[in-house]
Amino acid sequence: ALKLREGDKHCLITRSKCFLKLGDTANSLKDAEASLQIDKTFPEGLYQKAETLYTMGDFEFALVFYHRGRRLRPDIHKFQLGINKAEEAIVNCLGNPSAVKLEKTEELCFVSRQAELRSRKDKQQQQNKQTKDQKRTKKQSPKTEQQLLGQLYADKAYLEKLLKDEDLMQSSTRQGIKVMDLVLDGISYLNHRRDFWQQQKPMYARVYERKLLQQGRKQDKKRKLSDISRSIAKDMEDIELCLARGSAEESCRKAERLLRKLQGWTEEEVPNKNELIGNLHNCIGNAHLAMGQMEAALHSHKMDLDFARKNDLTDAVSRALDNIGHVHARMGRFQQAINAWEEKIPLAESSLEKAWLFHEIGRCYLELDKADEAQDYGQKSLQSADEEGDVEWQLHATVLVAQAQVKLKDYRSAIMNFERALEKAKLVPSEAAQNGIIA
């Protein structure tokens, strides 16, 4: 496909995902960056680069690109999920800043340069010693490795046992590949995963979590709660992944199954039970929307809204109103979409969120032949986009204003705004937008 259309950003991203599945992070990153050279604001490119950096263990750089994607497209929920997991990994690696307490000592500002250098040297020696100790521990402690690899530890032990069988190691498969090479590749892969998991959540972070679990509760009860929490997190990840892959039916089935399980647990077992129930209604609604089942999608998003209001979850209220507006707009119920989105306006957190929200409301008014209101919201969208300095939303808002002015027969103003929009389209750049504006 890339031979037929060189530099196609969508194809580059798909290939990057395949490289990442194979563990080839270098080529995955190369393709993600190539897509961003073509379009710096390509959301899938930003997300794929962030995911690749995260898998490489570069959590800080991954966080930068998750944030960059969320600023550009706050409506894409997976950027927020990426921010959460990257921040958690960074805290696990470095520790929580709130846990550090500074003590005020006399003449702290007048420490001599010599003492400062001596302190740095001592710290460096201590760090080097710790690094050596860690490496020694990594080699000598199968218990640590077992904690990091979990169920995969048995696989690694099995492969290492196979290495001792000299006759088997000298044999080859039907394809001519040496068995030893296959075994060594397997061990190497497991070592890479062990190192990644150690960096993502070091042993001290795991020990700290276990201590928290033990405080004030019985061990068996805490283990059950931990198992439930892990199970829910895994199920939620699967639900989101299925929808992202285009398997909406499977995503819907898994969400409904988890919803039934949640209703059987107490709030003590699942402290954020109501928030999770709202999230699941949101996931089910998104899956129904992807399948084209509009009424079912609307019902689920309204359930999400009810739970959010009952439990005073402002972010969830905003999310549900946004989704309800989208479903109504897809069904051609533009006035109902306007009602939902206008209710969301006070909850919008950033100028960029307001820019696309005002634009969508204005577009609905245009569909209802209410050109005055469409022009008003188009100008509000443009003002918010100007505050954010976002060229793409400046383009969309300017086109909306121009189209409203055409309906109002204010042709001179419309031409001026179309010309402004054309300049924005050249900056984005978007050839399709330029052709449409010229037409």
Side-chain angles (χ1 to χ4, degrees):
L2 284 166
K3 285 177 185 176
L4 292 171
R5 188 181 292 175
E6 188 179 351
D8 183 273
K9 60 184 181 182
H10 297 286
C11 193
L12 283 167
I13 286 304
T14 310
R15 190 170 69 174
S16 174
K17 290 177 182 176
C18 293
F19 279 131
L20 193 58
K21 293 274 185 189
L22 292 167
D24 187 352
T25 51
N27 277 317
S28 176
L29 185 62
K30 187 179 176 183
D31 276 352
E33 287 177 336
S35 75
L36 290 171
Q37 284 177 355
I38 297 158
D39 179 2
K40 289 183 180 179
T41 60
F42 183 40
E44 289 301 318
L46 289 167
Y47 182 74
Q48 185 60 22
K49 183 170 182 178
E51 285 286 282
T52 306
L53 289 167
Y54 181 88
T55 306
M56 293 167 77
D58 290 338
F59 305 124
E60 295 91 342
F61 286 114
L63 184 61
V64 168
F65 285 94
Y66 284 129
H67 271 296
R68 194 171 293 176
R70 187 176 181 275
R71 279 199 303 273
L72 287 168
R73 292 295 301 273
D75 54 314
I76 299 178
H77 187 52
K78 62 185 177 183
F79 283 120
Q80 184 58 54
L81 293 175
I83 289 168
N84 294 345
K85 72 179 182 182
E87 285 180 346
E88 184 183 355
I90 291 166
V91 168
N92 284 335
C93 283
L94 304 180
N96 194 330
S98 63
V100 179
K101 292 182 180 178
L102 296 177
E103 294 180 2
K104 187 176 179 182
T105 58
E106 291 182 7
E107 298 182 353
L108 188 63
C109 300
F110 301 99
V111 178
S112 70
R113 179 66 179 162
Q114 188 177 0
E116 185 181 347
L117 290 170
R118 188 163 57 249
S119 174
R120 283 186 187 178
K121 187 176 179 182
D122 291 343
K123 282 182 182 178
Q124 187 64 44
Q125 288 174 350
Q126 190 176 355
Q127 284 174 355
N128 291 339
K129 184 177 181 299
Q130 285 176 351
T131 305
K132 287 177 183 176
D133 290 342
Q134 283 172 0
K135 286 180 180 177
R136 198 179 299 117
T137 305
K138 193 181 286 185
K139 290 178 182 177
Q140 293 176 356
S141 175
K143 185 179 177 183
T144 301
E145 193 167 54
Q146 188 171 4
Q147 286 178 319
L148 289 166
L149 286 172
Q151 293 180 348
L152 292 175
Y153 179 76
D155 297 320
K156 190 182 178 201
Y158 174 71
L159 291 173
E160 287 173 342
K161 188 178 177 182
L162 284 182
L163 278 177
K164 296 174 183 176
D165 189 333
E166 293 181 8
D167 293 335
L168 178 63
M169 290 303 100
Q170 295 305 317
S171 64
S172 300
T173 66
R174 289 179 184 176
Q175 290 79 23
I177 303 169
K178 272 197 168 186
V179 172
M180 179 182 276
D181 292 338
L182 290 171
V183 172
L184 289 172
D185 282 346
I187 292 171
S188 174
Y189 171 77
L190 291 171
N191 284 338
H192 281 307
R193 297 318 297 162
R194 176 201 65 200
D195 294 343
F196 171 74
W197 288 325
Q198 167 68 355
Q199 187 177 357
Q200 182 190 24
K201 188 173 281 190
M203 291 310 298
Y204 71 80
R206 297 162 199 260
V207 170
Y208 178 68
E209 283 183 359
R210 283 199 298 275
K211 284 181 181 177
L212 287 179
L213 290 175
Q214 289 165 1
Q215 286 174 1
R217 297 186 185 182
K218 292 180 181 178
Q219 186 62 34
D220 58 342
K221 187 177 179 182
K222 280 308 296 174
R223 192 178 295 117
K224 182 188 173 187
L225 292 180
S226 179
D227 289 344
I228 290 172
S229 177
R230 276 198 298 272
S231 171
I232 291 171
K234 176 71 170 61
D235 288 343
M236 289 297 291
E237 188 179 336
D238 287 346
I239 289 162
E240 298 246 1
L241 197 59
C242 284
L243 191 59
R245 286 174 176 169
S247 305
E249 288 183 28
E250 189 181 353
S251 175
C252 189
R253 278 198 304 274
K254 287 187 175 186
E256 287 172 343
R257 194 183 307 133
L258 180 56
L259 185 60
R260 287 193 294 271
K261 282 164 68 178
L262 262 179
Q263 287 164 345
W265 284 320
T266 64
E267 288 191 13
E268 187 180 0
E269 290 172 314
V270 186
N272 57 339
K273 179 179 174 180
N274 289 324
E275 188 178 347
L276 281 168
I277 289 172
N279 273 333
L280 284 168
H281 282 301
N282 171 56
C283 293
I284 294 167
N286 289 335
H288 281 304
L289 185 63
M291 291 187 282
Q293 299 167 357
M294 301 300 176
E295 290 295 346
L298 190 61
H299 174 73
S300 292
H301 288 309
K302 283 182 175 177
M303 291 283 285
D304 181 21
L305 182 61
D306 289 341
F307 267 91
R309 282 175 171 161
K310 282 177 187 174
N311 295 283
D312 197 25
L313 302 168
T314 308
D315 288 344
V317 170
S318 179
R319 174 190 68 203
L321 288 169
D322 184 20
N323 287 325
I324 289 167
H326 278 298
V327 177
H328 279 308
R330 285 274 295 272
M331 296 171 78
R333 300 174 183 172
F334 299 112
Q335 188 56 55
Q336 288 95 321
I338 289 167
N339 294 342
W341 280 329
E342 285 185 338
E343 191 177 344
K344 175 184 161 70
I345 290 170
L347 304 175
E349 293 183 347
S350 66
S351 297
L352 189 59
E353 189 177 4
K354 287 177 183 176
W356 66 257
L357 185 57
F358 290 145
H359 176 271
E360 295 303 298
I361 295 170
R363 182 65 56 193
C364 287
Y365 274 122
L366 199 63
E367 293 287 344
L368 293 170
D369 285 327
K370 295 183 177 180
D372 284 319
E373 289 86 346
Q375 181 179 224
D376 182 42
Y377 272 103
Q379 286 167 344
K380 286 181 179 178
S381 176
L382 182 58
Q383 184 182 346
S384 296
D386 287 340
E387 287 173 10
E388 192 68 28
D390 190 286
V391 178
E392 192 170 349
W393 281 106
Q394 288 170 353
L395 165 63
H396 296 321
T398 308
V399 169
L400 174 60
V401 171
Q403 288 174 327
Q405 287 168 342
V406 171
K407 292 251 185 187
L408 293 167
K409 297 183 180 179
D410 183 3
Y411 300 121
R412 189 177 296 278
S413 298
I415 288 169
M416 287 173 62
N417 276 309
F418 276 129
E419 286 174 347
R420 288 193 190 106
L422 186 58
E423 293 304 312
K424 302 290 183 189
K426 289 174 183 175
L427 292 172
V428 170
S430 171
E431 192 175 336
Q434 289 177 51
N435 293 335
I437 292 164
I438 289 165

